[in-house]
Amino acid sequence: MVKKNVEMPDKNGYFGEYGGQVIPPPLVDIMNDINAAYDKVVQTEDFQKELQQLYADYAGRPSPVYFAKRLTDEVGGARIYFKREDLNHTGAHKINHCIGEALLAKYMGKTKVLAETGAGQHGVALATACALVGIECEIHMGGIDIEKEHPNVTKMKILGCKLVPVSRGTRTLKDAVDSAFEEYLKDPVNFFYAIGSVVGPHPFPKIVRDFQSIVGREARAQFLEKENRLPDVLVACVGGGSNAIGLFTAFLDDESVRMIGVEPAGKGLDTGEHAATLTLGSKGAIHGFECYNLQDKAGNPLPVYSIASGLDYPGVGPQHCYLKDIKRVEYETIDDVECLDAFMQMSRLEGIIPALESAHAIAHAMKIAKDMSADETILVNLSGRGDKDADFVADYLSL
Ligand SMILES: *Cc1c(COP(=O)(O)O)cnc(C)c1O
């Protein structure tokens, strides 16, 4: 049988031909130290006890699995369920890996945790986890994003992290990555670069996946308990891919369970304004690892767009690339219009305002549910709540 579960990646950090460490040799040593420390620490009783306790008492785990009756009745067909990651402290799945990374940094004796942020979601979750664990945190953010994302900027300041505005280049995420990385290189032995999804050089795609896999482990047990069987289909949105792999991992060996990752088609796949990396990308390297990429002929990342800022990344997690190639997971797209429609239907039929990222997954579930029977079930990862998007959507739809 093809290897597709948590035994991956191989010892060099590859999932098939994807992943690895496309970084300068001194950093390879640093990453290998992190990998060794992770493999050792994560298995200790102390670490697991502390992590599981924080998941339960601080983040609010387990998050429930919820049957969306009114949405199901409206759509007709398969029954739609949600894994409620929107109910976690800070409102999304990101807290799962941020607590894990901050705790790992502390166990490794690191002095400072560093990261970049785009819309500020990773920044807020990481600043939260660092405040919790008691470790210094520094977040780099482009000047344009700072102007656009006022509430998240305020939260990061209140949470006590050092926010570094980046005024070079386009003053957006790409420049924030360069800036944060330069700071990291000043002292990579004592600093910890906390990556915000299942991307970056080995071991980060593995570490972030492992911390997120709690989502699928809980969901599998909860669904069995409720329904006495497994869901027929899993659906999750894919930016870098952490919430999707978090849900999928526990089900990879369940051959009856179909899995679908949903990418943003933005304004349309033929407009160039999308972030459908697995759907339209080609193989290449970005940010220290190999994966499908949206890139030009010279191998430079193309500009990407999504109405959901958490999905606009020109690369994608290496395990997703592998799962696509071996056809274990299907990858589909949803455009802005379909996303907004799902956002509004979910809000008005269920009283749950979803994150625009998650609304991509909801839209796809609604699309396929129609053609399925009422004894079939779809479990959607509701990766986050939409408080952050409410003003934007209200303006956009002139509500
Ligand atoms: C960041 C974010 C995403 C996208 O990240 P993945 O790594 O692909 O999961 C999805 N949903 C929400 C709510 C987010 O904040």
Side-chain angles (χ1 to χ4, degrees):
M1 203 174 99
V2 198
K3 261 175 117 186
K4 57 192 173 222
N5 57 24
V6 281
E7 296 149 46
M8 304 205 76
D10 69 18
K11 67 179 189 345
N12 298 316
Y14 278 91
F15 301 85
E17 57 193 291
Y18 307 99
Q21 297 171 317
V22 190
I23 45 178
L27 269 187
V28 170
D29 293 340
I30 301 273
M31 291 299 145
N32 290 343
D33 285 348
I34 294 176
N35 187 44
Y38 172 76
D39 284 347
K40 199 167 131 213
V41 160
V42 83
Q43 287 177 36
T44 63
E45 203 174 306
D46 283 354
F47 185 92
Q48 279 306 328
K49 220 172 133 191
E50 193 168 355
L51 181 67
Q52 298 310 329
Q53 187 134 38
L54 291 174
Y55 278 170
D57 300 346
Y58 182 81
R61 307 208 67 87
S63 65
V65 164
Y66 167 69
F67 169 51
K69 182 169 185 311
R70 294 194 70 222
L71 186 71
T72 296
D73 287 348
E74 173 72 20
V75 173
R79 280 176 288 143
I80 302 174
Y81 292 75
F82 290 100
K83 176 64 171 162
R84 299 287 310 271
E85 292 299 292
D86 60 314
L87 293 178
N88 297 340
H89 179 49
T90 68
H93 71 288
K94 284 192 174 76
I95 195 70
N96 302 328
H97 63 248
C98 285
I99 291 178
E101 286 182 307
L103 212 51
L104 177 62
K106 189 177 94 173
Y107 272 71
M108 288 184 74
K110 303 279 184 179
T111 57
K112 179 162 86 174
V113 174
L114 265 161
E116 77 286 340
T117 194
Q121 295 301 109
H122 178 50
V124 170
L126 192 63
T128 301
C130 289
L132 167 71
V133 164
I135 192 166
E136 194 184 326
C137 179
E138 179 174 318
I139 307 283
H140 293 235
M141 188 171 186
I144 301 257
D145 292 330
I146 288 181
E147 287 158 27
K148 267 175 38 189
E149 306 291 346
H150 194 69
N152 280 341
V153 172
T154 309
K155 283 185 199 162
M156 283 186 271
K157 286 183 185 161
I158 291 174
L159 290 163
C161 83
K162 179 176 171 199
L163 187 71
V164 179
V166 180
S167 53
R168 64 173 86 169
T170 57
R171 300 163 62 220
T172 59
L173 180 63
K174 183 176 163 297
D175 310 290
V177 173
D178 295 341
S179 170
F181 204 67
E182 275 166 31
E183 176 63 22
Y184 176 60
L185 291 181
K186 286 183 189 161
D187 191 359
V189 174
N190 289 307
F191 296 169
F192 187 92
Y193 197 112
I195 291 182
S197 187
V198 282
V199 297
H202 175 65
F204 281 92
K206 171 179 81 171
I207 291 179
V208 173
R209 175 204 59 200
D210 290 357
F211 288 138
Q212 283 298 343
S213 63
I214 181 84
V215 174
R217 280 200 308 278
E218 284 176 6
R220 194 175 183 283
Q222 289 165 315
F223 204 92
L224 278 172
E225 166 91 28
K226 257 188 198 338
E227 294 295 312
N228 246 321
R229 51 184 256 198
L230 292 173
D232 295 293
V233 186
L234 304 178
V235 182
C237 65
V238 177
S242 65
N243 87 85
I245 211 76
L247 178 65
F248 295 167
T249 297
F251 297 87
L252 283 171
D253 291 327
D254 298 315
E255 311 233 331
S256 69
V257 180
R258 194 179 152 203
M259 301 184 196
I260 305 175
V262 184
E263 297 192 302
K267 296 182 180 166
L269 291 179
D270 53 1
T271 63
E273 293 193 64
H274 60 76
T277 313
L278 286 155
T279 306
L280 294 179
S282 51
K283 293 169 195 179
I286 184 172
H287 297 150
F289 69 108
E290 302 198 50
C291 63
Y292 281 93
N293 275 257
L294 292 169
Q295 55 191 4
D296 63 19
K297 292 210 171 66
N300 301 309
L302 286 168
V304 281
Y305 160 83
S306 167
I307 195 166
S309 49
L311 301 182
D312 59 358
Y313 183 58
V316 64
Q319 192 170 2
H320 286 290
C321 303
Y322 177 73
L323 292 169
K324 174 187 161 84
D325 285 5
I326 65 165
K327 298 189 162 60
R328 178 63 186 94
V329 179
E330 298 155 56
Y331 295 89
E332 303 285 351
T333 62
I334 283 293
D335 67 23
D336 288 359
V337 175
E338 296 168 308
C339 165
L340 283 166
D341 178 57
F343 178 97
M344 291 308 300
Q345 295 225 54
M346 180 76 168
S347 300
R348 292 186 174 180
L349 290 166
E350 294 294 342
I352 297 172
I353 303 176
L356 282 170
E357 290 82 2
S358 323
H360 286 77
I362 302 170
H364 191 73
M366 289 164 64
K367 209 183 229 182
I368 60 172
K370 283 195 203 68
D371 301 322
M372 294 168 64
S373 84
D375 346 301
E376 291 178 296
T377 56
I378 302 175
L379 176 61
V380 180
N381 198 3
L382 184 52
S383 56
R385 59 179 174 240
D387 305 35
K388 67 186 179 57
D389 302 311
D391 285 340
F392 170 82
V393 172
D395 278 354
Y396 194 90
L397 298 177
S398 311
L399 296 181

